[in-house]
Amino acid sequence: MYDNERGLYVAHCQNGALSIIGKMANRHGLIAGATGTGKTVTLQVMAETFCQAGVPCFMADMKGDLSGISQVGKMSGFIEKRLPEFGIENPEFQACPVRFYDVYGEQGHPMRATVSQMGPQLLSRLLGLNETQDGVLNIVFRVADERGLLILDLKDLRSMLDYVSKNAKQYSSQYGNVSAASVGAIQRALLQLEAQGANQFFGEPAFDIQDLMQTQGGKGIMNVLAADKLMMQPKLYSTFLLWLLSELYSTLPEVGDLPLPKLVFFFDEAHMLFEGTSKALLDKIEQVIRLIRSKGVGIYFITQSPTDIPENILGQLGNRVQHALRAYTPKDQKAVKTAADTFRPNPDFKTDEAIMNLETGEALVSFLDEKGAPSVVERAKILFPLSQIGAVTDEQRAVIIKQSGIYGKYDTMVDRESAYEMLLAEEAQQQAEVEEAEETTKKEKAEKEEKKPGIMSKVWKAVLTAVTSTIATLLGTWVSNKVSGKKTKSRTSAKEKVVKNATSAATRTITKELTRDILGNLK
């Protein structure tokens, strides 16, 4: 619960209320504890408190339980028993304004990002690429950027990969080697990503970060992401949330320390963010978390053990709630000791022993004081939620979705002109130019052939030559006969010879031209 005197009231100990100071809420936090110790309820209580203070929140709902924050709570035996402990007589049960989201668009408004928006570094992590493949992916993005080609969805990325691969010689000399093997590996990784439903995530309209930072009736809107199905694809889940953080970091202006944060971001199952992450990307995550607080954003990680968080990042989480941990193995005992060492000691109890003996709903709590220093750890009981504990029905969820202020904004996917269409048009234009050049060559060749003497003209020329030669021979023979007095019988034989010679010459000419013409056509 929130009020000006108590601040962001979260827990209660023997010494009184334990509250997060508003201007320290953007210094981030941690909710840790074993399964079943009450982490989800703690998250719900903290989110409600921020909501009442007018601070919008974003949270991932792993099991559907957090959807109950949209409904008015009710009295129960457990709550009634706790009332005296908290000094509360008549709790005002109330719901929070909620917007439901779902990457797959099934249980809430779709949340999409473009491939260009996500960028090569996050996409490389999502695809599980090695260093060489990551380099090729960076080249693809560089080429797309230089050419002004938008990579909005996965088919755009496939087209760019194909384009760069076909022009590998051109780009390898400028950016480095682009091997067919690396391109093939990326294409195969994209197939696996598509099988996980990534086609529904990558595209337009892309999600507007400003939609997370709205209020309603003076209360901060609770943005609840349905993550039960998304959790089955841990890489997609963690990379998506990391993209949201990156968008917040790059979009929001510097505001310093405000009286209250502009947005609080709850990152459940936080260990997934750091598993299998390269050193370079870890450094970037650390930088974002360190600097995003000056943008007015508080990040709260929810995980089982503080050891799930890298030390450099763990050191930036000032507000902490530690639920019970179990120590069955030496590794578990080490985790308990590590968790205890992250708190400022309380002389009234041993922190490591207390962690193993906490009851459900009980936790070790340490928030930052006015000066930004961690307070002495206290053993405390977490407040009960004023909203419903447990999931809503499908009917209730559907009503809330339709009543949302952004209903219809993201529901229909848009496929505008981008890299795929532009490269396809470019390829079609190049093909048309090649066909036009071939057609021009054919026409020029045909025109040249038309200017050559035809077959029949050559035949007649041959016949005329043969006839002229024969006539000359006959005349010579006739004159000779006249002189010698020979009979005219031989004249008939001479005529036959003329026809025979002319036919033979014509046949030889026609056969030669037809053969050459046919072979020319085959060529």
Side-chain angles (χ1 to χ4, degrees):
M1 289 177 287
Y2 173 75
D3 58 51
N4 292 330
E5 294 182 2
R6 283 180 168 175
L8 299 156
Y9 183 26
V10 175
H12 200 90
C13 67
Q14 291 181 347
N15 298 324
L18 295 177
S19 302
I20 299 175
I21 298 172
K23 66 179 182 180
M24 294 296 163
N26 67 330
R27 302 297 179 94
H28 312 320
L30 173 70
I31 303 173
T35 303
T37 56
K39 296 192 301 295
T40 302
V41 173
T42 299
L43 191 163
Q44 185 170 342
V45 169
M46 292 179 71
E48 280 183 356
T49 306
F50 283 116
C51 172
Q52 293 169 19
V55 179
C57 299
F58 177 88
M59 63 199 81
D61 189 6
M62 299 299 175
K63 303 182 291 293
D65 295 348
L66 285 174
S67 61
I69 201 172
S70 63
Q71 306 298 314
V72 178
K74 59 183 179 181
M75 185 66 72
S76 67
F78 175 77
I79 293 176
E80 192 171 359
K81 181 181 177 181
R82 285 286 181 94
L83 290 178
E85 298 177 9
F86 299 133
I88 301 173
E89 295 182 358
N90 298 307
E92 297 180 8
F93 291 100
Q94 53 187 288
C96 298
V98 170
R99 284 180 185 168
F100 290 119
Y101 293 97
D102 184 0
V103 167
Y104 300 103
E106 297 171 357
Q107 301 181 65
H109 306 294
M111 297 187 82
R112 299 188 192 90
T114 67
V115 177
S116 289
Q117 276 181 318
M118 180 158 284
Q121 194 166 16
L122 288 180
L123 191 62
S124 177
R125 177 186 186 274
L126 184 58
L127 295 173
L129 304 183
N130 61 30
E131 188 175 347
T132 302
Q133 296 156 3
D134 175 67
V136 171
L137 189 64
N138 275 276
I139 293 173
V140 169
F141 273 78
R142 179 69 178 271
V143 172
D145 291 343
E146 289 182 350
R147 295 201 54 192
L149 297 173
L150 291 173
I151 308 178
L152 302 180
D153 50 29
L154 293 183
K155 72 176 186 301
D156 289 329
L157 181 55
R158 285 192 178 282
S159 296
M160 281 303 306
L161 284 164
D162 183 58
Y163 170 78
V164 172
S165 178
K166 288 178 179 177
N167 298 273
K169 184 178 291 187
Q170 173 188 346
Y171 293 114
S172 292
S173 60
Q174 186 175 359
Y175 299 116
N177 186 41
V178 179
S179 69
S182 294
V183 172
I186 298 173
Q187 294 280 28
R188 290 192 294 274
L190 286 176
L191 276 177
Q192 296 177 357
L193 197 62
E194 287 173 345
Q196 297 175 13
N199 273 328
Q200 295 166 283
F201 171 61
F202 288 109
E204 287 190 318
F207 185 72
D208 183 359
I209 290 296
Q210 295 298 327
D211 285 336
L212 294 179
M213 308 178 69
Q214 297 182 10
T215 60
Q216 181 177 317
K219 293 183 176 182
I221 292 179
M222 302 291 99
N223 303 281
V224 180
L225 174 70
D228 50 345
K229 183 177 178 181
L230 187 60
M231 274 294 299
M232 303 302 292
Q233 313 298 339
K235 272 283 181 69
L236 182 58
Y237 165 74
S238 58
T239 306
F240 164 67
L241 293 189
L242 185 56
W243 166 75
L244 278 181
L245 285 181
S246 180
E247 281 291 294
L248 288 167
Y249 173 71
S250 60
T251 303
L252 298 180
E254 294 279 343
V255 293
D257 290 328
L258 300 174
L260 285 167
K262 296 173 68 174
L263 175 73
V264 172
F265 194 101
F266 291 98
F267 202 133
D268 204 355
E269 299 294 339
H271 64 280
M272 293 183 180
L273 176 61
F274 308 108
E275 288 179 350
T277 302
S278 66
K279 177 64 167 59
L281 187 54
L282 272 178
D283 291 342
K284 183 178 179 181
I285 295 171
E286 179 188 345
Q287 182 182 18
V288 168
I289 293 171
R290 184 173 66 252
L291 299 178
I292 202 171
R293 70 177 185 83
S294 64
K295 307 290 184 92
V297 177
I299 302 172
Y300 288 73
F301 292 101
I302 298 91
T303 189
Q304 291 199 9
S305 171
T307 56
D308 296 333
I309 313 293
E311 286 188 12
N312 290 340
I313 295 175
L314 186 63
Q316 299 178 47
L317 311 182
N319 301 296
R320 301 191 181 184
V321 178
Q322 176 67 61
H323 288 276
L325 288 175
R326 312 305 178 202
Y328 300 114
T329 66
K331 184 179 179 180
D332 294 337
Q333 292 171 359
K334 184 177 179 180
V336 169
K337 186 178 186 307
T338 301
D341 290 342
T342 61
F343 288 105
R344 183 178 169 186
N346 189 324
D348 294 338
F349 59 85
K350 291 184 178 180
T351 307
D352 54 349
E353 292 181 1
I355 288 176
M356 293 187 289
N357 296 314
L358 294 170
E359 299 176 358
T360 301
E362 194 177 18
L364 297 181
V365 179
S366 175
F367 297 140
L368 297 178
D369 61 21
E370 289 280 355
K371 296 181 180 180
S375 61
V376 172
V377 63
E378 297 284 356
R379 184 168 181 167
K381 292 184 178 178
I382 305 299
L383 286 179
F384 53 85
L386 298 176
S387 56
Q388 174 182 308
I389 298 177
V392 298
T393 63
D394 292 341
E395 292 76 13
Q396 289 172 321
R397 183 185 291 270
V399 169
I400 293 171
I401 292 172
K402 289 183 178 179
Q403 291 176 346
S404 167
I406 60 170
Y407 180 67
K409 182 176 180 179
Y410 301 107
D411 294 337
T412 304
M413 185 175 280
V414 177
D415 187 13
R416 65 186 173 105
E417 187 180 66
S418 49
Y420 171 77
E421 289 80 10
M422 295 176 73
L423 289 174
L424 199 63
E426 186 177 295
E427 186 177 343
Q429 183 179 354
Q430 291 174 350
Q431 182 64 28
E433 290 174 355
V434 170
E435 291 177 358
E436 185 179 353
E438 290 177 352
E439 188 64 27
T440 301
T441 303
K442 286 181 181 179
K443 286 182 179 180
E444 291 176 351
K445 185 177 180 181
E447 290 174 357
K448 289 180 180 179
E449 290 295 330
E450 287 179 1
K451 291 179 181 179
K452 291 180 180 180
I455 294 174
M456 295 308 298
S457 64
K458 291 184 177 182
V459 169
W460 286 115
K461 185 177 180 181
V463 171
L464 183 61
T465 301
V467 170
T468 302
S469 176
T470 304
I471 291 173
T473 303
L474 286 173
L475 285 173
T477 304
W478 182 75
V479 171
S480 177
N481 288 339
K482 278 289 184 181
V483 172
S484 62
K486 288 184 179 180
K487 297 181 179 179
T488 57
K489 184 179 178 183
S490 60
R491 193 182 306 165
T492 305
S493 300
K495 289 180 181 177
E496 291 175 356
K497 289 180 180 180
V498 169
V499 175
K500 183 177 180 181
N501 290 339
T503 303
S504 177
T507 301
R508 285 197 302 272
T509 303
I510 292 172
T511 303
K512 186 177 181 182
E513 291 291 335
L514 285 175
T515 302
R516 187 166 60 244
D517 191 43
I518 290 172
L519 290 176
N521 286 338
L522 290 174
K523 289 180 182 179

